[in-house]
Amino acid sequence: MKQRILIVDDDPGIVAAITPALRAQGYEVSAAHDGETALAAFRQVGPHLVLLDLVMPKLGGIGVCQQIRQQSATPIIVVSVKGAEADIVTALDNGADDYLVKPFRLSELLARIRAVLRRSRAPQPLIQCADLVIDTTRRIVLRQGQPVSLTPIEYAVLAELVAHRNGVVTARQIVQRVWGPQYADATDYVKGVIRRLRVKLEPDPAHPRYIITEPHVGYRFNDASGTVSSPSSP
Amino acid sequence: MKQRILIVDDDPGIVAAITPALRAQGYEVSAAHDGETALAAFRQVGPHLVLLDLVMPKLGGIGVCQQIRQQSATPIIVVSVKGAEADIVTALDNGADDYLVKPFRLSELLARIRAVLRRSRAPQPLIQCADLVIDTTRRIVLRQGQPVSLTPIEYAVLAELVAHRNGVVTARQIVQRVWGPQYADATDYVKGVIRRLRVKLEPDPAHPRYIITEPHVGYRFNDASGTVSSPSSP
DNA sequence: CGGTTTTTTCACTGCTTTTTCACCGCGCCC
DNA sequence: GGGCGCGGTGAAAAAGCAGTGAAAAAACCG
């Protein structure tokens, strides 16, 4: 699935300059030109990353930052002409992940996007959980050492759950990430896939241990045991 | 728990300049002066973050970066005099999380450290109050460590109360925020939800400690203890 | 092209939540 | 003391949601 980037900038020139470069890298790009439409677009598109200008009509970049952070951990890179120490510190302390001063070098922006996305999607190569092993690099799932055959959609949904393991993911989020933003309310799809996943992965599909339903909120991948591979910060 | 930072730089001046500032922020600081000792120190200290210079004897910064990445996901901020596009892109693509060109502003470095640590350590703004813990990002409420299941409306009302904790919120305000402006005088809804919240959250629902009624005004969420959240502002 | 797997659609069921409504108790002011 | 506003209580009706099964449609593969 293509990664989606939302550009928020009131200067159409900037948007026009960046967009094709991002598309060339294989990202899907959408844009908003003021703070309020940015938040609406954010909810609708469910992007994997936000490129955010600071100076904007309606609602400033800092405000957008805070609003997004209240509802999501989606990475944000602020791109602004304001290069003062105070601006940078304020943005970073209000939830931005990186800060780039205009004018910037395109390849640097791309590299910073890669770095931020790499960390946020943190595909820990191996996730082990009782009798399940999920190898995200090979797209393989083992259950009690036996490989489980998953269809592409099943795997994509599982990956989405595992990416936020121990956290709740709404059906809406899953549909947006796996099928695309335009399917946002086709949450029926998820029901079916979740069921098939449970049949294939759960010891007792009727009483799930891994794929837990958080009533009226969404689903949660329950990883009781700590992840064993690739030790992160000790 | 104090967070540990490993500084890797062959210039003792830099180390001497940064170290006290980091200590003042409450970090534990250790240092290494070349690539090889850096890796040894990394394994020994197990830092939460690495500040890495590029030009060094024995093993360059890029090499250190790769080696660290092979064994850990510990965040790395590269700090270097080299400001060329190619250097930045190379560092970021080899596992660095951020890149700061010397000379840098100290407060910017500190802000970038906070930003990177925040993301790597899932910072959850928690509201703690006696035996209640409210995790606003994950939509989870714990009572004496046990998760409490709240319905969407219950959670929304609680969030509204908590947002103005220790201040009074009128029933009218709650209805407007949770149900929408057109429901402004359906204050009956609130009664029911408040009751259910008390049953679920209060030790003695008949004599509320948290969700207090302010007669003829509204409700107030009583947060005796201070809020505990992640260290974001210095 | 035919057969198989996968995805989509839909109707149904049991359960939880939300809404609605009637009533109770308390304090207050006239 | 009786009416009145306000907040708490309880229960039943209505609505919404998740799980299930099964069949149609689409994609895949030889």
Side-chain angles (χ1 to χ4, degrees):
Chain A
M1 184 65 202
K2 273 188 175 181
Q3 308 234 72
R4 290 185 294 280
I5 297 183
L6 173 64
I7 306 181
V8 186
D9 200 316
D10 63 334
D11 177 358
I14 294 283
V15 177
I18 302 178
T19 303
L22 293 179
R23 293 237 165 89
Q25 300 296 312
Y27 300 113
E28 246 176 75
V29 183
S30 26
H33 301 286
D34 66 77
E36 286 179 9
T37 54
L39 290 176
F42 179 84
R43 269 184 285 269
Q44 207 188 341
V45 174
H48 299 87
L49 178 117
V50 178
L51 288 183
L52 184 61
D53 189 19
L54 277 193
V55 281
M56 271 187 312
K58 296 278 182 64
L59 174 63
I62 297 296
V64 175
C65 229
Q66 294 168 334
Q67 296 270 329
I68 290 180
R69 270 293 160 275
Q70 276 191 7
Q71 52 188 281
S72 148
T74 304
I76 300 172
I77 299 182
V78 169
V79 180
S80 169
V81 287
K82 301 168 82 174
E85 210 167 351
D87 294 313
I88 299 179
V89 172
T90 305
L92 292 174
D93 279 343
N94 276 285
D97 291 272
D98 202 344
Y99 192 111
L100 201 48
V101 179
K102 291 185 202 172
F104 52 84
R105 276 90 50 112
L106 190 56
S107 62
E108 177 175 351
L109 174 67
L110 294 177
R112 287 186 182 271
I113 287 174
R114 282 193 296 273
V116 163
L117 282 178
R118 156 164 37 92
R119 177 154 296 277
S120 83
R121 298 210 20 122
Q124 255 181 330
L126 269 189
I127 289 153
Q128 229 172 357
C129 183
D131 62 346
L132 278 189
V133 179
I134 300 168
D135 183 337
T136 54
T137 62
R138 301 188 191 287
R139 300 178 68 94
I140 285 177
V141 178
L142 301 179
R143 180 181 166 189
Q144 295 178 338
Q146 298 301 310
V148 179
S149 117
L150 292 186
T151 71
I153 285 212
E154 284 164 8
Y155 186 84
V157 172
L158 179 64
E160 193 61 31
L161 288 170
V162 165
H164 302 89
R165 83 196 82 120
N166 293 330
V168 187
V169 190
T170 68
R172 203 185 176 77
Q173 282 177 300
I174 296 175
V175 177
Q176 288 197 140
R177 285 287 161 88
V178 175
W179 279 264
Q182 63 274 31
Y183 290 79
D185 359 72
T187 50
D188 264 12
Y189 293 0
V190 180
K191 285 200 306 189
V193 177
I194 290 282
R195 181 162 52 114
R196 279 181 280 147
L197 275 176
R198 293 218 256 236
V199 170
K200 290 187 179 177
L201 300 182
E202 296 280 355
D204 175 8
H207 305 96
R209 286 175 53 194
Y210 306 128
I211 303 175
I212 311 290
T213 301
E214 295 287 350
H216 303 104
V217 187
Y219 298 93
R220 180 170 56 82
F221 189 90
N222 187 28
D223 180 7
S225 66
T227 63
V228 187
S229 80
S230 129
S232 69
S233 5
Chain B
M1 201 252 300
K2 270 191 174 181
Q3 308 232 71
R4 292 182 295 279
I5 296 182
L6 173 64
I7 307 181
V8 185
D9 200 317
D10 63 334
D11 177 358
I14 294 283
V15 176
I18 303 179
T19 303
L22 292 179
R23 294 235 166 91
Q25 302 295 314
Y27 300 113
E28 250 177 70
V29 182
S30 27
H33 301 286
D34 67 77
E36 286 179 8
T37 54
L39 289 176
F42 179 85
R43 269 185 286 269
Q44 204 187 341
V45 174
H48 299 90
L49 178 112
V50 178
L51 288 183
L52 184 61
D53 188 20
L54 278 192
V55 281
M56 272 186 313
K58 298 277 181 62
L59 174 63
I62 296 298
V64 176
C65 229
Q66 294 169 332
Q67 295 273 328
I68 290 181
R69 271 293 160 276
Q70 277 189 8
Q71 51 187 287
S72 153
T74 304
I76 300 173
I77 300 182
V78 169
V79 180
S80 167
V81 289
K82 302 168 82 174
E85 210 167 349
D87 296 313
I88 300 180
V89 171
T90 305
L92 291 174
D93 280 343
N94 277 283
D97 291 273
D98 202 344
Y99 192 110
L100 201 48
V101 178
K102 292 184 199 175
F104 53 85
R105 276 90 49 112
L106 189 56
S107 63
E108 178 175 351
L109 174 66
L110 294 177
R112 287 188 181 270
I113 288 175
R114 282 193 296 274
V116 164
L117 282 178
R118 157 163 37 92
R119 177 151 299 278
S120 81
R121 277 182 65 101
Q124 299 163 21
L126 296 181
I127 292 161
Q128 238 173 353
C129 182
D131 62 346
L132 283 187
V133 179
I134 300 170
D135 181 338
T136 54
T137 61
R138 294 205 292 172
R139 271 183 85 101
I140 285 176
V141 178
L142 300 179
R143 181 182 166 188
Q144 294 177 340
Q146 296 301 310
V148 179
S149 117
L150 292 186
T151 72
I153 286 212
E154 284 165 7
Y155 186 86
V157 171
L158 178 63
E160 192 62 24
L161 288 171
V162 164
H164 305 89
R165 83 195 78 126
N166 294 327
V168 188
V169 190
T170 69
R172 204 183 177 78
Q173 279 179 298
I174 295 176
V175 177
Q176 289 198 37
R177 280 300 195 96
V178 175
W179 279 264
Q182 63 273 33
Y183 289 79
D185 16 56
T187 51
D188 264 12
Y189 293 179
V190 180
K191 286 201 305 189
V193 177
I194 291 283
R195 180 164 54 112
R196 277 181 280 149
L197 275 176
R198 281 181 176 153
V199 170
K200 289 186 179 177
L201 300 182
E202 296 280 356
D204 176 8
H207 305 95
R209 284 174 55 193
Y210 306 128
I211 303 175
I212 311 290
T213 303
E214 295 288 349
H216 308 276
V217 191
Y219 299 92
R220 179 169 56 83
F221 188 89
N222 186 28
D223 179 9
S225 65
T227 67
V228 180
S229 85
S230 64
S232 67
S233 30

